[in-house]
Amino acid sequence: MKSLFKKITLLAFHKQREALTETLQDLGVIHLETKSDFRDDDVEELERQKYQIERVVQILEKRSTEKIYREAVGETSNLSSQEVVKEVLELQREKEERIQLRQTLSKDYVKLEPWGDFDHGKLKALAERGVYFHFFSAGKKEFNQYDWQSESIEIIHRGADRIYFVEIGREIESKLTFEPVILPPRKLRDLKKELESIESRHEQLNQSIGTFTKYIKKLGKELIELENRIGVQTVNSSYDKHAENRLISIEGWFPIHMEDRLRFVLDKQKMTYSVSEAQAGDKVPVLLNNAKYPRLFENITKIFELPNYYEMDLTPFIAVFYPILFAYCLGDAGYGLVLLIASLIGWFTFLKTNRNFSILGVILGSVTTAMGIVKSGSVFGLPLEKGGYSFLEFLSAYVIIPDDQDFIFNAFNVALMIGVIQIVTGIIVSIVNKLKYKGVNEALAQFGKLFIVGSLIWIFLGDMQEMTLFQPYGFLRKGILVLGILMVLLFHDMTIPVLKRIASGVLPLFFIFTGILGDVLSYVRLFALGVASSVLGLVVNQIGIQILGNGWWGIIIGIVFLLFGHTLNFGIAILGSFVHPLRLTFVEFYNNAQFEGGGMEYKPFRKEVINEMN
């Protein structure tokens, strides 16, 4: 769900600009329509300072993870923020320069290492007397096949697959066809000393940067102050001017549920304003306002983009389908239990500051644990079938979606059924969107699509699957199909004449008939990924059990192998279970729901408060 918004226009005398800006900032509920194309030197300078502080904070936070500096964060600090930024950036600049120099010298060192430590000056002196050294490297096979009887060479180093050698002769240029080597004009021991010096200085720079970690919180407060100042400057530059610059105005948006509070404050401040409803074409900000459970899935919605103001928020539907799709992909009760336990541990430890992710993990883990039992029946790759593992056999009674191809509700068919349900839900959502925001005429073509899809499912189940429940009234389902086709032809684009509309309706019909097949088949990936994780778990178990039967050392190696194998399989499976349901949601479901997106996030103009407790 989304919050409803109203538009507000504020008008004031130009001398009241600062007072109005301060009032709006203190209110903190209006999303102002600021100008993004203006250039203000003050704002640009503040943005530059903000960027520098953000970079310094990022640098210092990397050092603050080390125990020696962790305890220093927040200690009494004497330097100003500007002094800290200048010092840290200077240290970081030197550090980056030395890193680049180290990379260059390391490459030179690698080139020189096979040749050992020698004096380039002596080679130059010999060259002045007509004795030349030519450096080459060659593959072992290539080197051994060459006829060296007439050549004067000396092998310097034999590597794993290459041979490094020099040719000694009176010619300035060599006639050998091997790859010549151009060596840096440095001594190996000098390069080594310089690299050691750079490494030592690099560590000193890290330590010096680390001493500034105590300023992280101070810099954080400075960032908040800068953001507030940037916001004020931006708003001050966004006022429209009227009556020879004597009057100023600005527009914005606020959630309807805040209207009473807003009017009370503005009336008390004796501000001039007008409030109006949103009109078609207005760029209205979006504020998601879901109940507790769907709110957990708003981050998934935001991965793609926010809905625009003139369409439904699909988060509640994602909250229903995503856990099912995720669980079907992961497909193993044991892996679901691991995710559940990890999420519960995270509630008290690593997810303590963001417990919404912990709750989401608990939901996904719980649904996966249940799905792993009812679908196919698998616990860490161990099947729940009767005659299998006796300690798991009692769970076989709960397997209601088997892999049996003779059973209509097998794992493969159920994956397709889930796809059909989600696709039909998407079409219904698109119809509701059209009816609510664009009118009945715009929804008629989507009704036609729903009739086509519904009748095709009816025909498939009744005629092709021979399900007696769907076989009666064959004339009715065919009539619904014809009606759906006619509705798409007649109403798919109400902006063009009827005859032209009917002729151009062939293409939408083609996309509907081919699209529904492709969309439904896309849900096969749910079945495939679930089978893959279960089969890989089963293979890990079979190999691990064989290793366990080889004495005490086999027990140790077998346990290590089982832990490693299942951890690796769990990591791969959970990655696929996260990504592929997103793909099904954002492509198949969003496409059938005719999701437009492009929503602008609601960002009210407000003063960020500095928490002095930190």
Side-chain angles (χ1 to χ4, degrees):
M1 294 178 63
K2 308 187 307 294
S3 292
L4 296 176
F5 278 79
K6 283 188 176 182
K7 188 175 187 178
I8 185 169
T9 303
L10 297 115
L11 184 68
F13 189 55
H14 71 95
K15 292 183 179 180
Q16 292 179 298
R17 186 178 67 171
E18 292 183 4
L20 177 57
T21 301
E22 186 177 349
T23 299
L24 295 175
Q25 191 177 36
D26 291 338
L27 270 170
V29 298
I30 301 178
H31 179 109
L32 294 173
E33 294 185 348
T34 56
K35 297 176 181 177
S36 58
D37 57 347
F38 79 95
R39 295 188 62 83
D40 187 291
D41 292 339
D42 292 336
V43 172
E44 288 185 357
E45 175 59 24
L46 292 173
E47 290 281 6
R48 186 189 64 81
Q49 293 177 23
K50 179 186 172 185
Y51 169 77
Q52 288 184 335
I53 292 177
E54 285 176 337
R55 185 164 179 240
V56 169
V57 169
Q58 187 179 25
I59 293 167
L60 295 180
E61 283 180 342
K62 289 181 181 179
R63 309 304 304 169
S64 67
T65 57
E66 299 177 25
K67 187 176 180 180
I68 188 173
Y69 305 120
R70 196 182 305 146
E71 297 174 357
V73 176
E75 284 185 357
T76 303
S77 50
N78 299 320
L79 297 178
S80 67
S81 298
Q82 291 77 13
E83 290 172 326
V84 173
V85 168
K86 182 179 179 181
E87 291 281 348
V88 173
L89 289 180
E90 182 61 30
L91 290 169
Q92 182 68 15
R93 183 192 60 77
E94 184 183 350
K95 179 182 171 181
E96 290 172 354
E97 287 177 353
R98 291 187 174 273
I99 288 174
Q100 291 179 352
L101 180 58
R102 181 177 61 184
Q103 291 174 344
T104 302
L105 294 180
S106 295
K107 291 178 181 178
D108 290 347
Y109 187 86
V110 169
K111 287 181 180 179
L112 278 173
E113 192 174 21
W115 305 95
D117 202 5
F118 63 92
D119 190 345
H120 287 270
K122 292 181 179 178
L123 294 182
K124 186 177 181 181
L126 288 171
E128 291 174 352
R129 291 170 172 77
V131 180
Y132 298 96
F133 286 73
H134 303 291
F135 294 80
F136 295 94
S137 71
K140 285 186 175 181
K141 184 178 180 181
E142 182 186 10
F143 181 86
N144 293 329
Q145 289 177 347
Y146 190 82
D147 183 9
W148 295 104
Q149 292 183 3
S150 59
E151 310 292 346
S152 176
I153 66 164
E154 184 69 28
I155 296 176
I156 306 299
H157 177 74
R158 292 180 181 269
D161 57 353
R162 297 193 73 79
I163 293 177
Y164 301 84
F165 61 96
V166 294
E167 178 196 23
I168 308 169
R170 295 284 182 178
E171 300 292 334
I172 296 178
E173 294 184 3
S174 174
K175 296 180 181 179
L176 293 178
T177 58
F178 292 98
E179 180 184 351
V181 177
I182 300 174
L183 296 177
R186 306 285 297 275
K187 290 185 178 180
L188 191 64
R189 59 175 175 269
D190 293 340
L191 276 175
K192 187 175 182 180
K193 287 180 181 179
E194 194 167 351
L195 283 169
E196 290 173 350
S197 174
I198 290 173
E199 194 64 39
S200 175
R201 179 56 181 162
H202 181 80
E203 185 59 33
Q204 290 175 6
L205 290 170
N206 277 336
Q207 292 175 1
S208 298
I209 292 172
T211 61
F212 288 93
T213 53
K214 60 186 178 183
Y215 292 94
I216 289 178
K217 290 187 177 180
K218 184 174 185 177
L219 292 173
K221 294 175 182 178
E222 181 71 17
L223 265 180
I224 294 174
E225 291 178 356
L226 278 173
E227 288 171 355
N228 287 332
R229 290 168 62 190
I230 290 171
V232 170
Q233 291 280 49
T234 302
V235 170
N236 283 337
S237 302
S238 297
Y239 285 104
D240 292 319
K241 297 175 183 179
H242 313 277
E244 298 180 351
N245 298 336
R246 286 178 295 179
L247 295 177
I248 57 172
S249 68
I250 194 166
E251 295 180 339
W253 300 89
F254 64 90
I256 287 179
H257 66 271
M258 296 179 178
E259 183 172 0
D260 291 341
R261 176 194 166 196
L262 181 62
R263 285 182 179 274
F264 175 79
V265 174
L266 292 177
D267 289 341
K268 188 176 180 180
Q269 296 288 334
K270 296 182 179 179
M271 295 292 179
T272 303
Y273 65 91
S274 66
V275 175
S276 59
E277 301 289 339
Q279 302 296 319
D282 286 341
K283 189 68 174 176
V284 187
V286 174
L287 174 63
L288 300 183
N289 186 23
N290 291 292
K292 287 185 178 180
Y293 175 71
R295 194 180 303 147
L296 296 170
F297 295 84
E298 286 182 358
N299 286 323
I300 293 178
T301 297
K302 293 174 183 177
I303 289 175
F304 191 75
E305 60 182 1
L306 289 172
N308 64 57
Y309 188 72
Y310 304 101
E311 65 180 340
M312 290 175 62
D313 172 25
L314 301 183
T315 304
F317 300 97
I318 294 175
V320 173
F321 285 106
Y322 189 82
I324 297 172
L325 302 180
F326 180 93
Y328 215 93
C329 280
L330 194 52
D332 187 280
Y335 292 163
L337 191 61
V338 169
L339 178 59
L340 173 60
I341 294 171
S343 300
L344 290 173
I345 294 172
W347 174 274
F348 300 100
T349 54
F350 57 91
L351 291 175
K352 199 172 182 179
T353 57
N354 202 337
R355 285 180 167 168
N356 280 346
F357 286 109
S358 177
I359 298 172
L360 186 60
V362 169
I363 292 169
L364 296 178
S366 301
V367 177
T368 302
T369 302
M371 184 68 75
I373 295 173
V374 302
K375 192 264 296 183
S376 302
S378 173
V379 180
F380 293 112
L382 302 175
L384 304 183
E385 60 190 14
K386 291 182 179 180
Y389 297 90
S390 57
F391 65 96
L392 293 175
E393 194 170 311
F394 74 98
L395 292 173
S396 62
Y398 302 100
V399 179
I400 60 176
I401 308 174
D403 289 327
D404 186 0
Q405 295 302 307
D406 296 327
F407 184 62
I408 187 65
F409 294 105
N410 58 54
F412 180 84
N413 288 344
V414 169
L416 298 182
M417 291 175 191
I418 292 172
V420 169
I421 293 171
Q422 190 174 31
I423 288 168
V424 171
T425 302
I427 298 172
I428 294 172
V429 167
S430 71
I431 292 172
V432 175
N433 262 333
K434 300 286 187 183
L435 291 173
K436 185 175 181 180
Y437 295 105
K438 296 185 178 180
V440 176
N441 289 342
E442 293 291 332
L444 291 175
Q446 284 303 105
F447 272 112
K449 181 178 180 179
L450 181 62
F451 291 159
I452 291 172
V453 173
S455 60
L456 288 176
I457 295 170
W458 192 351
I459 292 170
F460 173 77
L461 295 176
D463 295 350
M464 300 182 68
Q465 294 296 316
E466 298 181 350
M467 295 180 68
T468 55
L469 180 64
F470 296 94
Q471 286 178 347
Y473 308 107
F475 66 92
L476 180 59
R477 60 189 181 223
K478 292 176 183 176
I480 293 173
L481 176 60
V482 172
L483 176 61
I485 292 172
L486 290 174
M487 291 181 74
V488 172
L489 288 173
L490 291 171
F491 303 109
H492 70 93
D493 187 351
M494 300 295 290
T495 61
I496 57 179
V498 175
L499 294 178
K500 189 175 181 180
R501 192 187 313 156
I502 294 173
S504 62
V506 175
L507 192 60
L509 281 175
F510 173 78
F511 287 134
I512 289 173
F513 280 98
T514 57
I516 186 63
L517 179 62
D519 288 348
V520 172
L521 290 179
S522 292
Y523 287 81
V524 172
R525 71 185 72 242
L526 297 176
F527 168 76
L529 288 170
V531 169
S533 62
S534 296
V535 169
L536 285 174
L538 181 62
V539 171
V540 170
N541 290 335
Q542 290 176 342
I543 297 174
I545 290 171
Q546 290 179 0
I547 297 174
L548 288 172
N550 291 286
W552 63 268
W553 62 270
I555 295 175
I556 297 173
I557 297 175
I559 291 174
V560 172
F561 177 82
L562 286 170
L563 289 173
F564 174 77
H566 279 295
T567 301
L568 184 62
N569 188 33
F570 174 75
I572 296 171
I574 205 165
L575 180 62
S577 300
F578 173 74
V579 172
H580 289 288
L582 287 182
R583 193 261 182 202
L584 293 171
T585 299
F586 296 150
V587 177
E588 275 71 27
F589 180 59
Y590 272 27
N591 180 56
N592 284 285
Q594 294 195 333
F595 179 81
E596 296 177 4
M600 175 176 58
E601 186 178 1
Y602 168 63
K603 292 181 179 180
F605 175 53
R606 62 173 53 148
K607 180 181 290 184
E608 296 295 330
V609 179
I610 299 173
N611 188 354
E612 297 296 340
M613 295 296 292
N614 292 331

